[in-house]
């Protein structure tokens, strides 16, 4: 990406089920769902949203190999999306194991996201 125009941040939690993808998708949704980038088309090459580049940076606490990158990319509606991961986020207890919710243990996963949009 040559020029970053917007940076949005968010976090997502999977309380039950220990699913790092669910937490990551929620983090991306949290970052982008409270923003409007009105006027971004005028800043992009050929004023085309498909010329936007989006870099999603995720701080993942564990199970990085289980992250479904395509599910994360699918949350971004326009442009070319790149996903980068790094160690971070948090694993903490949720205090109860509920097998019906998919729990394997009493941990919840928290993922932080930074979504950079530009060209």
């Amino acid at each position: 990406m040559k020029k970053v125009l917007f940076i949005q941040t968010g976090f997502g939690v999977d309380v039950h089920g220990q699913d790092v993808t669910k937490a990551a998708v929620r983090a991306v949704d949290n970052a982008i769902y409270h923003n409007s980038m009105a006027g971004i088309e005028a800043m992009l090459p050929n004023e085309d949203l498909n010329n936007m580049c989006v870099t999603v940076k995720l701080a993942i606490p564990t199970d990085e190999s289980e992250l479904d990158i395509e599910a994360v990319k699918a949350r971004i509606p326009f442009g070319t999306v790149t996903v980068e991961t790094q160690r971070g986020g948090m694993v903490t207890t949720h205090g109860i194991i509920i097998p019906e919710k998919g729990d394997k243990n009493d941990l919840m996963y928290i993922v932080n996201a930074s979504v950079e949009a530009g060209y």
Side-chain angles (χ1 to χ4, degrees):
M1 183 176 333
K2 288 195 280 186
K3 182 75 172 169
V4 175
L5 300 172
F6 297 95
I7 300 173
Q8 304 153 101
T9 60
F11 79 97
V13 181
D14 182 30
V15 177
H16 295 284
Q18 298 75 48
D19 185 335
V20 72
T21 298
K22 187 181 288 186
V25 164
R26 288 177 176 167
V28 170
D29 287 349
N30 182 251
I32 67 173
Y33 280 8
H34 305 287
N35 296 284
S36 175
M37 296 187 298
I40 191 171
E41 280 181 298
M43 297 181 225
L44 295 172
N46 299 319
E47 297 186 358
D48 184 347
L49 288 173
N50 292 311
N51 289 328
M52 180 170 52
C53 294
V54 179
T55 301
V56 176
K57 296 178 181 177
L58 300 171
I60 299 176
T62 191
D63 297 344
E64 187 174 335
S65 64
E66 295 180 26
L67 178 66
D68 182 347
I69 299 281
E70 294 307 313
V72 173
K73 286 182 173 182
R75 305 310 296 165
I76 307 297
F78 300 103
T80 302
V81 182
T82 303
V83 176
E84 300 175 5
T85 62
Q86 61 184 308
R87 193 89 168 133
M90 176 185 257
V91 175
T92 189
T93 183
H94 57 66
I96 185 172
I97 298 173
I98 304 175
E100 298 81 11
K101 294 271 193 178
D103 280 339
K104 301 170 231 147
N105 53 50
D106 73 336
L107 299 177
M108 70 171 94
Y109 292 177
I110 303 171
V111 172
N112 300 87
S114 173
V115 180
E116 301 174 355
Y119 60 90

